[in-house]
Each structure stands twice: as structure tokens, then as C-alpha cells.
């Protein structure tokens, strides 16, 4: 048995877990999650279209180093570094901004599944060193991009607020 909840605390509660009736939980979750799922899907379509456009503008020959995918992933990670600082530390964004832009657009734009497939193709094509270099370069570029972008954004915001 669990102890009864105190109604006098000001602790945040999860609206999906704390609903007393399971039917209310289902209705609430669909009403709350529907717009979020729609925004992720719409943003994903925008981001994936932008990535496709990048692959058309900067095509990579089969068996060669996949520079376009590396740059798309690094740029996407830099943008998410800026975006997350802005919406978590600077602005109070609408609840659908993060699912649309962060999860949808940037999730659709960055392509870590293609990254994994590119590595597999390089190794299978006898370019193991290039595959390993690509594996390490993308990981380092993505992490460095998000860290650098977030750091620079924080400093710019602090400088502008003075």
C-alpha cells in the first residue's frame, strides 16, 4: 500500500501519471500528445527535405568520403546547441516549438542513420580506414559543434544582457 498524497505540497506532478482514472489518462494523453506528434512530423518533413536538398547540391560519389553527411550532422548539432540555449535559458518558448524545431526539423535534418550506413558501405567497399576516420570525425565534429555553439551562444547572450 502507498501513503496518501499530500495536497499541500507545491511539488510538480506529472499530469499523465497522477490522473486517478485510467480512462482519463488515455484521453488526456491523446489530447496532449496529438499536437506534439503532428509538430514532430511536420518538422521532420521540413528537416528531411533540407537534408535531401543538401545531398542534391553537394553529391558524393559512391565509395568516397561522405563529406555532405558529415557537414549536415555537424551543422545540425551546432544549430541544436544554439537552439537549446535560447529556449531553455533565454526565452520561454511555446510548448510546441521544441518538438517542431528540435525534434522534428533538426532530427529530420541530421542523419545519424545515414552516417551508420555510410560507415558500413565504406568498410564493405574495402575502405576500412576511411570508415573509421569518418566514424571518429563525425562523432568529434558533432560533439564539438554542439558544445561550441552552446558556449558561444551563452556568451553572446550574457554580453547582450550587460
Amino acid at each position: 500500500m502507498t501513503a496518501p498524497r499530500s495536497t499541500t505540497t507545491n511539488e510538480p506532478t506529472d499530469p499523465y501519471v497522477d490522473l486517478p482514472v485510467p480512462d482519463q489518462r488515455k484521453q488526456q494523453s491523446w489530447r496532449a500528445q496529438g499536437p506534439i506528434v503532428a509538430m514532430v512530423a511536420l518538422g521532420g518533413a521540413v528537416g528531411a527535405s533540407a537534408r535531401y536538398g543538401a545531398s542534391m547540391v553537394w553529391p558524393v560519389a559512391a565509395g568516397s568520403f561522405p563529406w555532405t553527411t558529415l557537414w549536415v550532422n555537424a551543422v545540425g548539432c551546432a544549430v541544436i546547441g544554439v537552439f537549446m540555449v535560447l529556449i531553455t535559458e533565454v526565452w520561454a518558448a511555446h510548448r510546441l516549438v521544441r518538438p517542431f524545431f528540435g525534434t522534428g526539423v533538426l532530427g529530420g535534418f541530421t542523419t545519424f542513420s545515414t552516417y551508420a550506413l555510410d560507415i558500413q558501405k565504406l568498410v564493405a567497399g574495402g575502405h576500412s580506414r576511411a570508415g573509421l576516420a569518418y566514424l571518429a570525425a563525425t562523432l568529434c565534429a558533432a560533439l564539438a559543434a554542439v558544445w561550441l555553439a552552446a558556449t558561444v551562444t551563452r556568451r553572446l547572450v550574457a554580453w547582450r544582457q550587460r
Side-chain angles (χ1 to χ4, degrees):
M1 254 197 170
T2 60
R5 289 181 190 226
S6 169
T7 57
T8 59
T9 63
N10 290 330
E11 294 180 22
T13 58
D14 186 338
Y16 306 116
V17 174
D18 295 329
L19 288 172
V21 180
D23 288 340
Q24 286 178 332
R25 209 172 310 153
K26 282 183 185 176
Q27 290 171 357
Q28 178 66 21
S29 66
W30 278 109
R31 257 184 275 139
Q33 297 298 322
I36 294 170
V37 170
M39 288 296 103
V40 169
L42 181 62
V46 170
S49 297
R51 176 176 25 97
Y52 177 74
S55 72
M56 293 292 104
V57 172
W58 299 290
V60 175
S64 64
F65 197 85
W67 287 104
T68 303
T69 305
L70 186 142
W71 283 108
V72 161
N73 286 337
V75 167
C77 287
V79 173
I80 201 135
V82 171
F83 176 69
M84 291 308 293
V85 168
L86 293 178
I87 69 163
T88 60
E89 299 174 20
V90 179
W91 301 317
H94 186 276
R95 72 181 188 95
L96 296 177
V97 169
R98 188 172 176 173
F100 171 75
F101 191 73
T103 305
V105 173
L106 293 173
F109 182 68
T110 57
T111 175
F112 287 91
S113 59
T114 301
Y115 160 66
L117 184 63
D118 287 342
I119 294 167
Q120 181 184 14
K121 286 179 181 178
L122 285 169
V123 171
H127 305 286
S128 298
R129 286 186 182 174
L132 286 173
Y134 176 56
L135 176 108
T138 299
L139 179 62
C140 291
L143 291 173
V146 74
W147 176 81
L148 184 62
T151 301
V152 168
T153 303
R154 282 188 187 102
R155 288 186 181 169
L156 284 172
V157 167
W159 176 74
R160 287 196 58 162
Q161 290 177 345
R162 285 188 223 167

